[in-house]
Structure formats: structure tokens, C-alpha cells
Amino acid sequence: MNAHMPMTHNECDIPVLLVATQAPLDVLHSNAATRFLAGTQMMESLASLDITQAKGADVQQLAHAAAMLLRDGCDVMDVLGRQIRARV
């Protein structure tokens, strides 16, 4: 496995957001958990929002940011899973 894996949600052909594939398992888990928690909190905020008072663009931007956080967390969990499977 390469030392770094590009994140799924890179906006261009040259990936600048990477996951360190050799990072310790607890560090990978902590980083994924932090992103999942932030994404969950954003979605909980959206769920409690009075949608009739919200601007469509604001809701879309919050949903997009939450999706990016959740995708980053999934990418980190993918590396974590690969490390665990390689140890078996």
C-alpha cells in the first residue's frame, strides 16, 4: 500500500487531500470519528431547522459540507480497514 492515498473528494486531477496509510490505527479511527461526529452534528442541525425559514442555498451548502465530512471519514475508515486486513 502506498504511504498516502488520495481522498475521494478531490476537486481536481492532482490530489492534494491525502490519507496517511501508515498512520497508527488509533489515529485513523480518531480522525474518522471526528469527521463522522461533525457531519452528524451538521445533519442534526439541518433536521432541527425550520425549513420554511431557510434559504435553499444555505441548506444545500450545509448538506454539501456534511457530505464532504462524511466522505472523508469513509475514506479514512477504508484505510483503517485495509490496515486491519493486512495484519490478519
Side-chain angles (χ1 to χ4, degrees), residues 34-51 58-71:
T34 298
R35 281 159 177 75
F36 289 143
L37 179 61
T40 300
Q41 289 171 337
M42 289 181 78
M43 295 309 291
E44 288 171 348
S45 294
L46 279 174
S48 65
L49 182 68
D50 179 2
I51 202 75
D58 292 339
V59 173
Q60 185 178 17
Q61 289 173 353
L62 283 170
H64 182 71
M68 286 176 54
L69 287 167
L70 295 172
R71 171 52 49 206

Side-chain angles (χ1 to χ4, degrees), residues 8-87:
T8 302
H9 194 79
N10 279 296
E11 294 289 333
C12 62
D13 294 337
I14 301 170
V16 295
L17 300 176
L18 307 166
V19 180
T21 61
Q22 307 301 319
L25 297 179
D26 62 322
V27 172
L28 290 169
H29 180 269
S30 175
N31 277 270
T34 298
R35 281 159 177 75
F36 289 143
L37 179 61
T40 300
Q41 289 171 337
M42 289 181 78
M43 295 309 291
E44 288 171 348
S45 294
L46 279 174
S48 65
L49 182 68
D50 179 2
I51 202 75
T52 61
Q53 301 296 321
K55 294 179 182 174
D58 292 339
V59 173
Q60 185 178 17
Q61 289 173 353
L62 283 170
H64 182 71
M68 286 176 54
L69 287 167
L70 295 172
R71 171 52 49 206
D72 287 357
C74 288
D75 288 345
V76 175
M77 288 298 287
D78 179 50
V79 170
L80 178 66
R82 290 176 194 219
Q83 274 199 30
I84 290 170
R85 286 188 297 277
R87 293 175 184 214

